[in-house]
Amino acid sequence: EQTGETLQKAAYCYQKLGDFAKALETYRKAELYDQNKIWTLKKIALCLRSLKRPAEALEIYQLVEDLEPDNLNTHFAIGYCHTEAGQYQEALKHFFRIEYLSPGNKKVWRPIAWCSFLTGKYDQAKKYYEMLLSDNPDKYDQMNMGHVQWATGNRTEALNYYRQSVKTGGFSEAEFMASFDEDLQHL
């Protein structure tokens, strides 16, 4: 017998197996039972994001936001959906809201820095990348600070950051070049 709970469990299994289309279809059926509604909606949105359908995922996350207006994870998801859809200014609004609701939340610095870079707010991007670089940076932080330097005409400084991302940041040269090629459209 199909119940909301059995459908949710089946959908979760499909999701874990990487069959996001089947998981989405099954979560949609489970949604009709109105059981664990927020959890189901979040899973539907996650499947939509995995299927590269950020605009649809965004609609679902906005429903979740109405039900849980102060949930930071939902705000992150909304920000990432906007980013995936190329709506960087909208993404920034959500990321700054997270920073406001959770001062000192370092997890939000990276998307703020990246979206600032993509919207041409280079001083703001530089500020956030400097904060990241001074506090447990990942290999992309150095490369992305290089992008900011490149975009503002500081080629020598950009090359230094790029060099550091390979030398100490954890990138192999091949990984760096693959990531750089991916970002080239933004330079």
Side-chain angles (χ1 to χ4, degrees), residues 2-159:
Q2 276 192 346
T3 66
E5 187 178 355
T6 56
L7 285 167
Q8 286 173 333
K9 288 179 180 180
Y12 188 73
C13 290
Y14 288 125
Q15 178 190 326
K16 285 298 180 189
L17 291 170
D19 189 345
F20 296 106
K22 188 72 176 164
L24 177 62
E25 177 187 324
T26 310
Y27 280 130
R28 289 283 192 192
K29 290 177 185 172
E31 183 184 20
L32 299 174
Y33 287 88
D34 208 29
Q35 182 178 352
N36 258 342
K37 186 168 188 72
I38 293 172
W39 183 87
T40 304
L41 287 172
K42 286 178 181 179
K43 295 299 182 188
I44 288 170
L46 181 68
C47 288
L48 288 166
R49 281 185 68 199
S50 297
L51 292 167
K52 306 285 187 233
R53 293 161 55 185
E56 292 172 72
L58 183 58
E59 290 176 22
I60 302 297
Y61 281 125
Q62 287 168 332
L63 293 173
V64 173
E65 181 184 28
D66 290 342
L67 299 169
E68 296 181 328
D70 294 330
N71 185 313
L72 295 183
N73 290 327
T74 302
H75 289 295
F76 267 112
I78 290 171
Y80 286 124
C81 284
H82 281 298
T83 303
E84 291 160 5
Q87 302 164 343
Y88 308 117
Q89 194 58 50
E90 279 301 309
L92 271 174
K93 289 178 189 174
H94 281 275
F95 294 133
F96 278 125
R97 185 170 180 190
I98 293 166
E99 189 177 46
Y100 175 77
L101 292 172
S102 178
N105 185 337
K106 297 172 186 175
K107 201 170 123 182
V108 77
W109 293 352
R110 203 162 272 115
I112 288 175
W114 182 244
C115 288
S116 296
F117 167 69
L118 294 175
T119 56
K121 296 177 178 159
Y122 301 129
D123 287 340
Q124 185 170 282
K126 185 178 176 190
K127 171 188 157 192
Y128 280 91
Y129 280 122
E130 284 172 349
M131 292 182 339
L132 286 162
L133 289 171
S134 70
D135 186 27
N136 199 22
D138 75 10
K139 60 187 178 184
Y140 295 99
D141 296 332
Q142 291 175 332
M143 182 175 76
N144 291 339
M145 178 61 116
H147 293 348
V148 172
Q149 296 297 331
W150 187 272
T152 56
N154 300 320
R155 304 291 196 257
T156 304
E157 206 53 36
L159 291 173

